[in-house]
Amino acid sequence: MLDQEHSHMGHGPLQSSAPTPPPVDISQDVPMHLPTEETQARAPGPTRSTTMDVNARSEQVDVPETPSDLLDQGPCEVERDPEGGLWFFLIDAVEDDRASPPRVYLFGKVKVRSGSAEAYRSCCLVVEKLERCFHLLLKVEDPSDYESAKIAANAAAVELETLRKEKFQNLKVIRSKLKYRNYAFEKPLGQALGNLPFLKVVCEAAGSVPPVGLAGDNFTHSFGIQASLLERLLLTRRLMGPSWYRLHPDSFKEEPARLSHCATEFRITPASIQVPKTETEKTQWNSRMPASSPPLRVLSVSLQTFQQTAQLSHEVLAIGCSLHPTVSADASASESDLENSRRTWAAIRRLDANPFPRDADKALAAGGFHSYNNELALLNAFLLKVQEFDPDVIAGHNVFSVDLDVLSSRLHQLKVQNWHRLGRLRRSKDRVPRNEGRQAQGFWAGTSLAAGRLVCDTALQAKDLLPKLGCYDLANLAKEQLGSTDVKIVEPEAIAEYYDSARSLLNLLQLKTVDAYCIARIAHSLQILPLTRQLTCLAGNLWNGSLQNKRAERNELLLCHEFHSKKFVLPDKESLSQKKRRLQIEGGQGISAGFDEPDEPEAQATGSRKGKVAYSGGLVLEPQAGLYDDLVMLLDFNSLYPSIIQEYNICFTTVDRPDENEVAKMTSEAQLLSQTREPDGAEEGILPQVLRRLVDSRRVVKASMKSEKNPKILQMLEIRQKALKLTANSMYGCLGFQNSRFHAKPLAALITAKGREALQSTKTVVQQELQLEVVYGDTDSVFVNSKTADFQKAMHIAEQIKRAVNKRYRRLEIEIDAVFVRLMLLKKKKYAALKVVNWEKKLFEQELKGLDIVRRDWCGLAKEMGEAILTKILDPNMNKEESIEWVHQFLSEQAKKMDDGQVPLDKFVITKGLTKDPKDYPDAKKQPHVQVALRLLSRGKQVRPGQEIGYVVCDTTGEGEGKSLLAERARDPHEMELDPTLCLDMAWYKKHQVHPIIARILGVVEGTSRGRIAECLGMDAAIFAQVVQHEEGEGLDFLSQYMDADPNALFDRSLRYKNFSSILDGVKCKKCGGTTPWQRLLTPSTGEEPKQAPPFTCKDCQAQIQPGVARNQWHRQLRQLVKQHCEGWVQPADQVAGTEKTRRANKGDNLVSEQTVKKELQFAAHLCESAALLTAEEDAALQTALARMKKDADAWMKIGCQHFIDCGQMFGAIFGTPLLGTLHQ
RNA sequence: ACAGGAAGCGG
DNA sequence: ATTACTATAGCCGCTTCCTGT
Ligand SMILES: [Mg+2]
Ligand SMILES: [Mg+2]
């Protein structure tokens, strides 16, 4: 395992070879709470009973509510080991280098004994007597000449002292000495890299620091001048993440002046922290270390905010908390650690100056809730609660971007003195950290406001851990992850109503409480704390960094630890201004720095991705599109890039490459690659070593998982395995990351180049050695057509390929990933397949990659239709003709459901993410999701970058101008419910959602066509529009036509139609299924049996018929009418195609005569006119629907009967040959 | 067809 | 009591849609 090979990789319990921590003994950690202030939480969901073999102790979970709670306030004795050493579990660290003396605060937990009971308490170690350390590269002829290096070192020391007296007297040098160190990074030294002589200078942290670029007569470069105190502490004391660390006996003491809010506090120096010197020493201490991590106290929070006006910032209205005193930082197989001693706390304030409703205070108190007169009192109560509970973890949904942002803003605005009680650092003299107008202030505020505690954002983590989810709001997450529908979204409009009664206030607080509880459960179920802890222990960064998903930071610290321990001088961290300055200097000397313009502040993200592409990545083979019936094998290199790093020994120390200045001057990638040479027989580099260790550890973990039965340990191994994989895989990406301290473009480019080479040669091997066809491949995989339907044969071939490829490499390894019984290959990165799970049992599994149906920016209806069709097409038991037949029928049915309004609203929602603040979009007017986001903002909802915006597309015909931008027709689904005049644009959904998706899928399928698909879907609106436009040359304003209508003329016509009996079906009621004729629906008071009923009601059940639904059915039936007329002329398939003449000659035989059509259309138009006059003008919903219905009828009449036949052709060939030319002789 | 913009899948 | 200050973000490849010329 990892730790066996690398002693410095930490000594946390999870590195030990016996990963079996005893169960956390909950009864020893006594929760703090005041019974009067907290309510015993009731789980909203079904309580989970543990069926697994959870140790007996978790049964006695209910901690007796003894007065021992009081012990937490009283004195307690911190437990020491027999020698007097102190074990400390590290959680967070903060640096304050402007204090005097400069300090680092280490926050964590210690074991205490109060009376006879054992428990854990928060602890702050205040580290003083810190040192800085920098290295000066000595100017020597021959670096390997030790004697001359010694002389140079002395000279440099003298020179430094002279410089100090002249320029930086405050530098307090403690000692300096000649040291040989390695250097292998991108900053050029003007000499060969390798083991070089440096003057190592150690100085007091309190003093000032020399300027960054310091150089002199005896030294050419300086390193580490700006390194932070915390970083040095982490590296020198080898602090590898959240684990137990031992303080030497008598190396820590208490001071009366407290600097933290922690239960215990000690002053220490860096040397107090024990660092095992040897492997045996480490093993010894590991066996004495506390066997498991301490239980963590988690406070999850849900804020209800609200906005007085759109200009003002959000205020805090109510706060719900869920308190969990014994959450495990290792894996947990059940929720028992979450449920132990769980409490809730919730409070609300007045909305405005008005008092709470009658009896509200009493009712709230009875429910265990608190009420306050204003925001200040509410916030103070919350801070008090936080301090009292002293959480190790504050969890929330969007806690960075929303909660902490709002809190810091309000604490600042209201000048709350106790703001720092949110964290563990006493800072009564400081002001609330607040950076108005800066971005990502939530992140900054988070680290600053809650110093000493972990901040866990479930939204942030869910995006990473559940990447396939479309929407990450709390309600959806609770549904998907917990199966809970308890989370309800509070719409801004509804807030005031909650203040109407004591009961509704209670409801609001209960909602917030449930939110908070769900947040805790989600964090638990995603195993956020255990996973981030593992990642942190592997990299040796801060836990809070891992909780923010800062991969680059993780990788950076991993490499810092690694190179530091191998006696390397580390590359300096470059600030933004330093980097700019360097690029200017270097760019100015060179030839314009190649492609990089002297560009000014960020050439603002092209696409949603920032910056341009710096070098080429993976190779993607051209797919041979089609539907495959033979077995296709998928072979895939496992962990391609980590393997390549090992295979070719790619490292800073091994690859001969251009330095950063030379790289900046490169004009092409070919040039870069030609000057980058892979090593030849060199010693194994650091990167390959690290990766080998990670990969080997993972192999061990996976092996032990096979025999492990205990679910809790299994879970822990699974998490560890995952962390190892994530760490290995993030190495390559960080090499190519421009802002990384270890950025090395030549190495990154070399790795991908080797990847392309591997794929290309694999393809060649398959084609030439095995004479097989590679139908596709992406970066690390090949799809090989086996040209057989015999599974055993295919597997045999696959094994052959595997052997042929693998014999070419040491570390690279290709494996058989899958055998597909069906494969539909559409485009690069887009395919659907049926994977063989068990050939004998004929068990298959669908695999969908990249298709529209896996993307959230297509509506659910279109995706579901696409998936249903795809399933049929891929079905190996299905006859091809049959499945096509089925598809056509399915499409027609679905289209009818759409028209009949039988498809629920949520199936029409399209989701798109905001990549920036809505205000920052340059052309917001053209983007539907931005428009909707702005509408949400104006309703008082919070909208932030990264948020998903769901919208639907409405038909806005009749509202203002004829043409309207798509973006203007997009609406939040919730608005549909608020405004009944809104109506989904079915024609748009058919044309722009359903049709494209279906057409692309069926594009490689025989026996259908785009036109046929369109026909099944009943798409014709587009053609109407074209036809009408062509004839009229302008749009028609149907609404104004109504206004001008002559009532008398209308009356005449009413008489004319008195006995007219329409053959149109009428509207089908969604409720009872009964059909109401159009005349009865639109003008109930006319017709043969006049009724005094309101319009738009069902004749059978009197239910309201939605105008939008009626219109869609109307549209469909008129179209059906014309189609029937046309089909009267369509010749049977076996006859020779007729000419126009022969069809016209048969006119009289048509079942639906031209006369009938004309009469029906006239009647239809008449009905609309009459109905419009009978309807109040204010009823916008009805008027709009009627306008659209009349437009439908008029559109057909405009085309005219002599053209119906030509239209008939259109039905079958909407997307085929040009239409308009043939329409009018 | 070109340009600009926006999506987020894939490895 | 008020003010100024700090700084972060894995990589690349590919398809599709919208608006405007
Ligand atoms: Mg792979
Ligand atoms: Mg792959």
Side-chain angles (χ1 to χ4, degrees), chain A residues 636-640 780:
Chain A
D636 186 304
F637 285 105
N638 30 34
S639 302
L640 182 70
D780 63 349

Side-chain angles (χ1 to χ4, degrees), chain A residues 103 105 126 257-261 265 267 424-426:
Chain A
R103 286 185 274 254
Y105 303 89
V126 181
R258 285 303 194 90
L259 300 176
S260 77
H261 296 302
E265 182 179 309
R267 305 289 173 110
R424 280 170 162 167
L425 201 53
R426 277 180 204 260

Side-chain angles (χ1 to χ4, degrees), chain A residues 716-737:
Chain A
M716 208 170 72
L717 292 171
E718 169 62 25
I719 287 167
R720 182 158 171 75
Q721 174 271 123
K722 202 168 162 187
L724 287 162
K725 180 178 177 175
L726 284 171
T727 305
N729 282 340
S730 62
M731 182 72 65
Y732 149 74
C734 292
L735 292 177
F737 176 37

